[in-house]
Amino acid sequence: MEKKMNDKSRSIHDILPLDLIHIILLRVPIRHVARLKCVSKLWCSLISDPDFAELHFCHSPAATNACFFMKNDTMAYLVYLDDNYASQKVVCPPFKKKPPSDFEVLGSCRGFILLHRYPHFLVVWNPLTGVSKRISYSHIVSRPKYHSFRLPYSTHLHGFRYDASQDDYLVVAACRDYERQEDHLECLSLRTNSWINLDAVLPSPLDWFDHNSCGLFLNGAIHWVPSCPKDYRDAILIFDLKERTFSKISAPEQLLTVACPFPSLALLGDCLSLYGHNYGRGTTEIWVMKEYKVHSSWTLYEIPCKIFQPLCLSRNGDIIGRGYDKIGYFIYNVRGDLLKRFKNLPCPPPIGYCVYKESLAVLPLPSGIKDKDKKKKENCHQVHHQV
Amino acid sequence: MELLCIRQWISGLLPTWLSAWCIKPVGGALVRQEPEYILLALMGSPLKKIMLCSSEKEIFSVEEQVMVQHSVIINNMIEDGSYNHEESKIPLDCVDSKTLKKVIDYCTHHTHHHNDNQEDLEAWDAQFLNVDSNGLYDLLMAANYLEIRNLLDLIYGTIKNMIKGKKIDEIRRIFNIKDHGFTPEEEEQNRKEYPHFY
């Protein structure tokens, strides 16, 4: 190694070897990394490498959870929440010049947000890098005859997950064809850009689900809960993506019979949770399934807040959520004690938000198509399905 | 400083005349507060030292215990027997004298003061890293070469804080990046697309 002199004209590139610069960039929190691509060509090539995104996502300290929701068609909010601080960021959704109406937030997976656009489009978008992709599922659902006619409840189910073994993102869409009174289920692989029909495995009949409900992904399966489950024993619908089978697991009996006929799912830490509002007691009941698929492991946490929607767990294991009767974001510990309240932050509507964790992940490239990692909007890809 | 340590630790445990007798150069400070180390000091047995040789051929003598605790590389060398205490010195051709001295300071301080409260340690670390950029890079490379985990974490953390939240032009100034490598067109394109970054 050459002798180092305190030469003011030497830059970090001249002194530090590439692997150390790489590690420095890996250690910068995800939120600050994207802009570093503009610092120098070297940093740009290091950060744009697909392996970098993977390494950063796996090895860096966990990115802060954020609550994502759309304010209107041209503006969306990311509200970052942690034990001690909360902050917000405005992002612009990737819609073309004339923003179309009627977008809904469905869910998120590894830094990508899944949006639904009427009548039959799904949009996958990474707000950090700006990459987006629009997918049509018109072949699954027939167009409604009258555009103004919308059923209040439809069986539109969605799921969005990342398959590490294939480095692929899978989008699952199930819906009802009202003309023919049929249910359809299809699964799209973003890598191969093709849909697979899975009608045969759909349980029949399909329950009513909240409009455009997006399932929670956990342990290789997507989970949904119907808007009004009849029996606690098969309250939660599960679709195992590997086995391609549906099954049901039971919810805590007390949740459905005593208090809350309309439960919702949430992912708290690594545990599936069901929550509902006990209007009689003025509390929100959160049941957490501590051991997956073990009915006896459902544990109740009662939050003394009439309408509280849990979002995620903080680093300390406390419950962060959104209040509606008392506006703002709250952190409660598992005993129901209020630890912190964040006011003066934009709050999402009751539905149409999701919990989001940033990443620089790129979409898998269908062979032959170049994916640009800049803030460009992509055209609608040709989608071909297998009958 | 080393003698003060002995006095501190022993005085609480032994009668004054004994602790007075122990305060003489006995080959280094006590590393831990365990009884066997106090006994060693009483018996006058020197603690093992190793020799580190910088790229400028300057020899530094440091307690084996201190370096073994912090540096994975040195620990491995001692454990696999490739270091002979009587004769060898460990050549560190990648590290110059100034940086090596600082690294030894860091390891020694953290070994002797590992029981201090967190705030004091952090304050000392902050003072320790109050160097210019070149000094920081030299420390980073030395810590990387010697595989000193906690010093690496400290330096990476400092550099990360130098980057976080700064505008692009500022980052280039801090890291002395005069030639960013973009063509004028690319640079202009970036500035147009992300004006708030600059």
Side-chain angles (χ1 to χ4, degrees):
Chain A
M1 270 207 165
E2 53 187 73
K3 193 163 182 218
K4 288 163 267 307
M5 294 174 289
N6 247 337
D7 189 354
K8 291 268 158 72
S9 67
R10 298 180 68 198
S11 81
I12 188 175
H13 297 161
D14 301 323
I15 303 177
L16 286 183
L18 200 66
D19 55 342
L20 290 189
I21 300 185
H22 192 227
I23 299 178
I24 290 174
L25 294 175
L26 276 175
R27 295 226 180 185
V28 175
I30 188 88
R31 258 199 285 170
H32 303 277
V33 170
R35 67 168 62 192
L36 297 181
K37 287 202 280 190
C38 297
V39 171
S40 78
K41 196 104 188 189
L42 174 69
W43 289 25
C44 184
S45 65
L46 284 174
I47 296 172
S48 306
D49 188 80
D51 291 335
F52 180 89
E54 181 64 40
L55 277 169
H56 203 289
F57 191 78
C58 295
H59 298 300
S60 68
T64 312
N65 283 313
C67 178
F68 172 87
F69 61 96
M70 309 261 291
K71 176 150 171 82
N72 52 47
D73 296 322
T74 53
M75 200 157 95
Y77 280 109
L78 278 170
V79 179
Y80 299 92
L81 300 158
D82 199 359
D83 289 295
N84 297 311
Y85 78 93
S87 62
Q88 58 175 315
K89 183 160 103 167
V90 175
V91 285
C92 295
F95 308 138
K96 292 197 191 296
K97 290 167 224 150
K98 183 182 158 212
S101 59
D102 224 353
F103 277 91
E104 281 181 71
V105 177
L106 292 183
S108 94
C109 172
R110 270 173 70 97
F112 285 98
I113 305 235
L114 185 69
L115 298 166
H116 179 266
R117 187 197 143 184
Y118 185 79
H120 50 246
F121 293 105
L122 295 168
V123 177
V124 175
W125 170 45
N126 185 333
L128 196 66
T129 62
V131 166
S132 73
K133 181 169 178 163
R134 189 176 70 169
I135 305 146
S136 162
Y137 64 93
S138 57
H139 61 287
I140 309 177
V141 64
S142 56
R143 251 175 236 274
K145 287 200 178 103
Y146 308 100
H147 284 273
S148 58
F149 175 73
R150 295 269 303 277
L151 281 181
Y153 290 102
S154 64
T155 55
H156 283 230
L157 283 185
H158 298 97
F160 184 32
R161 72 145 292 208
Y162 176 71
D163 181 356
S165 62
Q166 307 287 327
D167 185 28
D168 193 7
Y169 287 84
L170 300 171
V171 179
V172 170
C175 32
R176 168 157 291 187
D177 183 341
Y178 291 102
E179 280 188 356
R180 292 179 216 127
Q181 288 292 302
E182 284 168 354
D183 294 319
H184 294 290
L185 175 72
E186 299 232 352
C187 178
L188 168 75
S189 148
L190 284 181
R191 176 171 283 284
T192 60
N193 220 10
S194 59
W195 291 90
I196 299 170
N197 184 289
L198 295 168
D199 284 355
V201 301
L202 257 185
S204 172
L206 208 50
D207 291 318
W208 287 109
F209 289 85
D210 276 338
H211 185 61
N212 282 332
S213 72
C214 193
L216 273 184
F217 177 69
L218 183 67
N219 295 342
I222 303 184
H223 304 68
W224 297 278
V225 68
S227 31
C228 197
K230 300 177 194 61
D231 190 339
Y232 78 92
R233 278 174 288 248
D234 8 324
I236 302 175
L237 184 65
I238 301 177
F239 179 55
D240 186 321
L241 278 154
K242 201 162 175 192
E243 307 292 319
R244 295 201 182 144
T245 53
F246 276 89
S247 58
K248 293 199 171 177
I249 58 174
S250 55
E253 188 177 0
Q254 304 91 309
L255 178 70
L256 300 186
T257 58
V258 171
C260 329
F262 310 109
S264 307
L265 280 175
L267 198 63
L268 294 182
D270 292 326
C271 300
L272 197 66
S273 318
L274 263 180
Y275 66 93
H277 311 298
N278 189 330
Y279 296 107
R281 286 165 61 91
T283 60
T284 299
E285 289 186 8
I286 305 178
W287 290 84
V288 179
M289 194 194 309
K290 294 274 170 106
E291 273 179 67
Y292 187 58
K293 287 191 178 173
V294 174
H295 181 82
S296 52
S297 73
W298 283 109
T299 313
L300 170 65
Y301 300 123
E302 213 166 350
I303 305 293
C305 187
K306 252 190 237 152
I307 307 175
F308 176 78
Q309 285 184 327
L311 292 170
C312 56
L313 288 188
S314 74
R315 274 178 236 257
N316 294 339
D318 301 312
I319 303 172
I320 306 180
R322 157 89 165 93
Y324 285 93
D325 52 332
K326 298 178 227 171
I327 307 292
Y329 296 91
F330 299 84
I331 305 186
Y332 285 91
N333 68 13
V334 293
R335 285 183 299 278
D337 306 316
L338 176 64
L339 298 178
K340 212 158 174 83
R341 178 177 179 176
F342 298 111
K343 290 190 267 192
N344 303 324
L345 281 170
C347 290
I351 57 168
Y353 65 88
C354 67
V355 178
Y356 165 77
K357 241 190 192 157
E358 286 169 319
S359 100
L360 290 172
V362 295
L363 286 171
L365 303 178
S367 48
I369 300 177
K370 221 171 167 212
D371 200 346
K372 298 234 173 2
D373 211 332
K374 290 201 163 198
K375 212 172 175 183
K376 280 194 188 135
K377 295 148 182 88
E378 293 193 26
N379 294 320
C380 184
H381 282 244
Q382 282 300 319
V383 165
H384 36 273
H385 62 278
Q386 294 158 14
V387 176
Chain B
M1 192 180 86
E2 294 173 346
L3 301 175
L4 273 172
C5 292
I6 303 177
R7 175 190 283 248
Q8 248 178 307
W9 289 326
I10 297 186
S11 64
L13 304 158
L14 302 166
T16 335
W17 66 266
L18 253 185
S19 41
W21 177 72
C22 290
I23 300 169
K24 58 182 179 183
V26 287
L30 291 179
V31 174
R32 297 200 210 280
Q33 296 173 49
E34 288 127 5
E36 54 266 32
Y37 284 86
I38 300 170
L39 268 177
L40 276 174
L42 282 175
M43 283 154 37
S45 161
L47 288 171
K48 274 193 195 156
K49 289 230 173 177
I50 55 175
M51 308 293 186
L52 301 178
C53 181
S54 77
S55 61
E56 288 145 331
K57 306 294 178 225
E58 204 179 321
I59 312 268
F60 291 84
S61 171
V62 61
E63 289 161 41
E64 177 184 313
Q65 192 64 21
V66 163
M67 290 317 291
V68 154
Q69 258 191 328
H70 286 95
S71 164
V72 173
I73 293 289
I74 294 188
N75 183 48
N76 291 348
M77 275 184 170
I78 308 261
E79 275 198 353
D80 71 16
S82 55
Y83 178 73
N84 180 328
H85 283 91
E86 267 75 55
E87 299 162 36
S88 315
K89 49 188 193 293
I90 301 179
L92 300 172
D93 293 330
C94 314
V95 189
D96 64 21
S97 298
K98 183 171 149 204
T99 311
L100 187 53
K101 179 161 196 319
K102 278 213 80 128
V103 168
I104 293 174
D105 274 346
Y106 177 87
C107 298
T108 313
H109 179 91
H110 274 261
T111 300
H112 292 168
H113 292 256
H114 74 282
N115 276 338
D116 281 10
N117 69 52
Q118 199 59 29
E119 280 154 10
D120 290 340
L121 282 174
E122 282 173 12
W124 190 92
D125 285 345
Q127 184 60 29
F128 173 80
L129 280 186
N130 194 9
V131 291
D132 66 2
S133 324
N134 286 338
L136 196 62
Y137 304 149
D138 290 341
L139 271 172
L140 177 59
M141 288 193 284
N144 183 54
Y145 177 70
L146 291 168
E147 289 186 46
I148 304 176
R149 181 83 279 154
N150 45 356
L151 180 57
L152 273 174
D153 287 343
L154 180 68
I155 300 177
Y156 282 131
T158 304
I159 298 183
K160 172 189 86 180
N161 289 335
M162 281 158 71
I163 293 178
K164 252 166 70 174
K166 301 269 183 1
K167 306 266 182 195
I168 305 289
D169 292 326
E170 228 179 308
I171 295 176
R172 286 178 179 164
R173 246 196 324 273
I174 292 173
F175 294 105
N176 219 10
I177 299 172
K178 298 250 164 66
D179 176 19
H180 47 69
F182 291 119
T183 66
E185 293 78 32
E186 285 170 337
E187 174 73 0
E188 196 187 318
Q189 172 75 6
N190 281 345
R191 283 186 187 261
K192 228 165 79 176
E193 242 180 292
Y194 313 107
H196 48 286
F197 285 173
Y198 288 85

